[in-house]
Amino acid sequence: MSWISTRAYYERINKFVQKQAPPLASPPLLIESLDYAPIAAAKNADDWDAIAGTLVESARRLESAGAEGLVIAANAMHKVHDRITEAVSIPVLHIADSVGAAMAQTDCQNAALLGTRFVMTESFYRKRLVDHGVNLLPPNPDDVEMVDGIIYKELMLGRVTRDAERALKTIITMKEKEGAQAIVLACTELEMVVDTDANVLPVFDSTDIHCRAAANWILE
């Protein structure tokens, strides 16, 4: 939900559409960039009802403004995906389904999931990938704390450090040793500190995959 991910989504979707559409074409987009502070406070209080309420209101405003489909530009917020889907009459493209479909196309069957604490440890995201035939390594508590801290204390504030880059590279290297065939980068900001093209394992970047799915949906 950070402005970092909002910017990434806007730029990526436009670029993907422009590659496939006639010159000077750009996708018609409605963007609601929410104040993340109250959402973060509700998350820390484990008040997902409040979060769902905020996102449902946003989704309804976008639908009323003419949106024909929705994407939630945050992996963790898909915890309330079903409640948003029930509240609107337009499709909501699920990020984990997009990632799972991309992994199924490459026959990747064993992966490690990196994201916020909620994404790494709870079933709402993991189950979606498993439903696409992907086996996931169990979360390591130390990795969960490390990655969650980097996301919320650095990346969502726009801070990128060498320490964070080294920490993620070490974690990915260890995941390979534990048997992972690939990494799922399940946080829209993690690509800021992970080189998706230069790692010991293939990296499935949820931001890139979700934006590509949104662009393809727009062009259908």
Side-chain angles (χ1 to χ4, degrees):
M1 295 264 97
S2 73
W3 65 269
I4 303 291
S5 61
T6 303
R7 178 181 64 185
Y9 267 70
Y10 180 73
E11 183 176 12
R12 294 277 180 90
I13 292 172
N14 270 279
K15 285 183 175 180
F16 285 140
V17 167
Q18 204 163 53
K19 285 180 181 178
Q20 301 178 63
L24 302 181
S26 57
L29 299 173
L30 293 169
I31 300 173
E32 180 151 297
S33 184
L34 299 171
D35 180 3
Y36 186 68
I39 295 173
K43 178 184 67 64
N44 291 334
D46 202 28
D47 188 357
W48 286 93
D49 286 339
I51 293 171
T54 297
L55 268 62
V56 162
E57 288 176 4
S58 176
R60 285 173 172 165
R61 283 193 295 269
L62 289 167
E63 182 178 25
S64 296
E68 298 174 332
L70 293 172
V71 291
I72 306 167
N75 286 268
M77 294 300 115
H78 282 74
K79 184 177 172 76
V80 297
H81 170 271
D82 291 349
R83 294 171 68 171
I84 296 171
T85 300
E86 292 167 0
V88 295
S89 60
I90 56 179
V92 185
L93 307 183
H94 199 294
I95 193 168
D97 285 341
S98 299
V99 174
M103 297 179 78
Q105 289 178 357
T106 64
D107 199 30
C108 177
Q109 298 178 350
N110 193 29
L113 183 63
L114 298 181
T116 64
R117 178 182 292 105
F118 297 101
V119 169
M120 293 176 75
T121 62
E122 297 190 15
S123 63
F124 73 92
Y125 198 101
R126 300 177 69 88
K127 186 178 183 303
R128 290 269 184 168
L129 294 182
V130 171
D131 287 345
H132 284 274
V134 181
N135 295 316
L136 294 172
L137 268 63
N140 179 300
D142 292 336
D143 294 344
V144 171
E145 291 304 314
M146 172 76 75
V147 177
D148 193 78
I150 288 172
I151 293 168
Y152 285 111
K153 296 176 183 177
E154 298 182 29
L155 302 183
M156 292 192 74
L157 301 175
R159 293 174 52 204
V160 177
T161 66
R162 287 290 299 158
D163 286 345
E165 291 173 352
R166 283 191 288 266
L168 266 298
K169 194 171 187 66
T170 298
I171 289 172
I172 291 172
T173 301
M174 290 303 299
K175 295 305 176 188
E176 184 206 21
K177 293 179 179 178
E178 293 170 12
Q181 297 174 329
I183 297 294
V184 178
L185 216 57
C187 169
T188 49
E189 291 88 8
L190 273 178
E191 63 178 8
M192 296 165 67
V193 289
V194 174
D195 188 339
T196 57
D197 297 319
N199 261 289
V200 295
L201 291 173
V203 176
F204 290 87
D205 180 359
S206 65
T207 303
D208 198 73
I209 293 169
H210 202 203
C211 289
R212 192 181 298 273
N216 289 338
W217 185 87
I218 290 169
L219 291 167
E220 286 179 354

